[in-house]
Amino acid sequence: MKRLCAAAVMASAWAVPAWAEGNPLNLSGRLDVGYRYYFDDGQYAGQAEAGFHPFVGFQLNGSFGVGTGEVVFQFAGLNDDENDRSLFNIQKAYFTNSFENWDLVLGYNVEDWGVSNGRTIVNVMNAKNRTNQVGNSDLIGTPMANANLFTDIGTFSVYALGDSVRGNFGGRATRQRGPFYTDDGLVRYEDSNSPDFALRYTHGFSLGEGSLDLGVSAYQGTARESLRMPGCISADSAVSASACAQFNDDVLAGYNSGKTVAKAAADAGTDAFTAVTPYYQEIRQLGLTTVYAEGNTQLRFEGFLREASGERFVGAIVGGDHSFHNLMGGDGTLTLALEYHYDDRSGRQPVTVYDDDVFVGVNFIANDTNDSRFNLGVFYDLDQSSQIYTLSASRRIGERLRVGINANHVVSDSLTDPLSSVDGNSYIEFSLSAFF
């Protein structure tokens, strides 16, 4: 059913001329080149040594009219085979048309519902790219049919999703992984034929001296975030094909009986354990986002109630940010953010390292002719005392070029902390982007 839905969506989006007379093709984009420097050798087999590693990336945006509607596309790509970060991402490739008080979107799209500064947790429509850096994941486009009704009391949206649920985990060379790499040669679903759909309501209104933006969502279908399950990918001289298949069956049977992933793998024996394999659950989720803005201060909340594999759990982010303008007589804007991140999921759910964490963020925009920007974010785990640091800074050179620096650093001293598996993968990245 999902494959048929995806095919129908894409056929609807692209069964049109690429461009027609009177509907010019509008194109813009970006080409990135750079080097990422890892300070330490990879901890696991297949990972690259310390040093500089080149990469090339791009983003292409475009649109053209079709009748009374429009085709919109946005493609992004990255080439870094040495560290298994290569990806081609169809973020947008859809046909859209607006009517009197509603519109329609058919094709690949990214729906970002999050409102928090450090990370977002309500997004369930799109899979993620997990290979780039710890603490930040890019959303991958998924085929969908989306209708939005605009009224005086808010916007009502309905979504039917297609068959694009797999995230990008990289491979053996990926630095952002644990001791066992994720191999999508064996992908399993709790129910691969169930329909995936979502409903969402959004509205903004005045409240007191400020304004409140509200978002309420409901989702039912296949999770876009996979549970990583121990598996045996291929037989070799040490493990027979029958033993490999039996291990996979035993782990899944143990999990379905109510065991945690770790317990199911331990009871199945670990002799045939060669890699981690994606398992996609069926979930139901209710989500809520609120942003209250008054003056230069914004208070933010983002949370969900999710049901998956016979369990219910919640996740929440609460915090806010305050902006200071015209600092020291200049034109710059400094924004300080503070958030608390909570999640009470069990060992039967996808692993999260943000179950009891504080996030502190600093963002500075110079508002100068070169559009200079600086951003620093820090996650601090209140249980394990581990930290994640992310830094980015960029500055435009002329009209078409931008130079940037990005860095990522993880500190974890506890072997019981999932972050310890990626400790030692700190890097700094230098890039040059050309725009057209």
Side-chain angles (χ1 to χ4, degrees):
M1 179 176 179
K2 290 180 183 176
R3 296 188 186 279
L4 182 61
C5 176
V9 166
M10 292 308 297
S12 300
W14 294 107
V16 294
W19 53 80
E21 184 177 355
N23 293 312
L25 175 65
N26 302 305
L27 280 178
S28 64
R30 185 188 77 237
L31 178 65
D32 308 315
V33 294
Y35 281 92
R36 174 173 288 193
Y37 179 84
Y38 285 101
F39 293 92
D40 301 298
D41 293 341
Q43 302 179 67
Y44 312 118
Q47 293 181 329
E49 297 179 350
F52 285 98
H53 302 275
F55 65 87
V56 177
F58 77 92
Q59 180 171 301
L60 178 65
N61 313 297
S63 64
F64 56 89
V66 177
T68 60
E70 184 180 36
V71 168
V72 177
F73 57 87
Q74 179 174 298
F75 306 138
L78 179 70
N79 182 264
D80 181 7
D81 291 338
E82 193 172 12
N83 294 289
D84 272 340
R85 292 197 301 141
S86 296
L87 173 70
F88 177 71
N89 184 4
I90 305 176
Q91 296 172 321
K92 298 179 181 180
Y94 61 76
F95 171 78
T96 182
N97 204 350
S98 298
F99 305 93
E100 184 176 350
N101 63 340
W102 67 285
D103 66 16
L104 181 68
V105 175
L106 295 173
Y108 277 81
N109 198 15
V110 167
E111 283 283 335
D112 186 354
W113 297 343
V115 297
S116 302
N117 287 289
R119 53 186 285 268
T120 65
I121 58 176
V122 297
N123 292 325
V124 289
M125 306 280 281
N126 300 90
K128 295 181 179 180
N129 174 25
R130 301 287 189 179
T131 66
N132 195 28
Q133 69 177 37
V134 179
N136 185 28
S137 301
D138 300 320
L139 297 176
I140 298 174
T142 194
M144 64 179 68
N146 165 221
N148 303 287
L149 176 64
F150 307 101
T151 73
D152 292 337
I153 60 172
T155 300
F156 298 85
S157 303
V158 59
Y159 304 82
L161 275 63
D163 191 30
S164 181
V165 302
R166 298 188 185 186
N168 180 40
F169 310 104
R172 292 180 183 272
T174 300
R175 296 295 293 256
Q176 280 66 44
R177 69 170 178 89
F180 294 95
Y181 74 101
T182 301
D183 193 317
D184 58 5
L186 175 64
V187 180
R188 289 176 287 187
Y189 299 85
E190 184 175 348
D191 186 352
S192 60
N193 294 312
S194 67
D196 299 347
F197 62 89
L199 304 173
R200 189 168 186 243
Y201 168 77
T202 57
H203 190 44
F205 48 88
S206 299
L207 182 65
E209 298 296 321
S211 62
L212 179 68
D213 291 330
L214 173 70
V216 181
S217 60
Y219 175 82
Q220 177 172 309
T222 301
R224 267 51 185 172
E225 176 186 20
S226 72
L227 187 154
R228 251 61 74 78
M229 191 168 290
C232 181
I233 302 303
S234 60
D236 55 27
S237 59
V239 181
S240 66
S242 60
C244 192
Q246 188 63 53
F247 176 78
N248 292 328
D249 291 343
D250 290 346
V251 172
L252 185 57
Y255 176 78
N256 288 334
S257 71
K259 299 177 182 178
T260 65
V261 174
K263 177 64 173 173
D267 290 349
T270 57
D271 292 341
F273 183 9
T274 61
V276 178
T277 63
Y279 175 79
Y280 292 92
Q281 305 162 291
E282 290 299 299
I283 68 170
R284 295 180 179 180
Q285 176 173 304
L286 297 176
L288 173 66
T289 61
T290 61
V291 179
Y292 178 75
E294 182 177 337
N296 296 323
T297 301
Q298 297 188 90
L299 303 179
R300 304 172 185 270
F301 175 83
E302 185 172 334
F304 67 76
L305 169 64
R306 184 181 302 171
E307 180 179 323
S309 299
E311 295 183 343
R312 287 184 177 178
F313 61 97
V314 299
I317 301 172
V318 59
D321 53 75
H322 183 83
S323 296
F324 302 88
H325 301 282
N326 303 320
L327 290 179
M328 295 179 290
D331 296 325
T333 298
L334 176 69
T335 301
L336 304 179
L338 178 64
E339 296 173 345
Y340 174 67
H341 295 237
Y342 173 79
D343 196 300
D344 71 346
R345 69 184 63 192
S346 74
R348 286 179 49 77
Q349 307 300 332
V351 175
T352 181
V353 298
Y354 308 100
D355 55 349
D356 187 21
D357 293 65
V358 171
F359 171 79
V360 178
V362 178
N363 183 66
F364 177 73
I365 301 176
N367 294 319
D368 58 358
T369 56
N370 294 313
D371 190 27
S372 304
R373 297 170 179 265
F374 172 86
N375 185 274
L376 173 67
V378 180
F379 283 97
Y380 182 84
D381 191 312
L382 298 176
D383 291 329
Q384 303 284 355
S385 298
S386 56
Q387 303 118 53
I388 301 174
Y389 298 86
T390 59
L391 179 147
S392 65
S394 67
R395 181 179 177 87
R396 198 174 64 220
I397 302 176
E399 295 295 325
R400 300 288 185 178
L401 299 178
R402 176 177 286 274
V403 292
I405 298 176
N406 293 284
N408 190 235
H409 179 58
V410 174
V411 178
S412 178
D413 299 322
S414 174
L415 294 179
T416 61
D417 184 1
L419 273 178
S420 64
S421 63
V422 294
D423 193 6
N425 289 295
S426 300
Y427 69 81
I428 185 169
E429 181 178 283
F430 307 92
S431 65
L432 175 65
S433 300
F435 295 84
F436 60 89

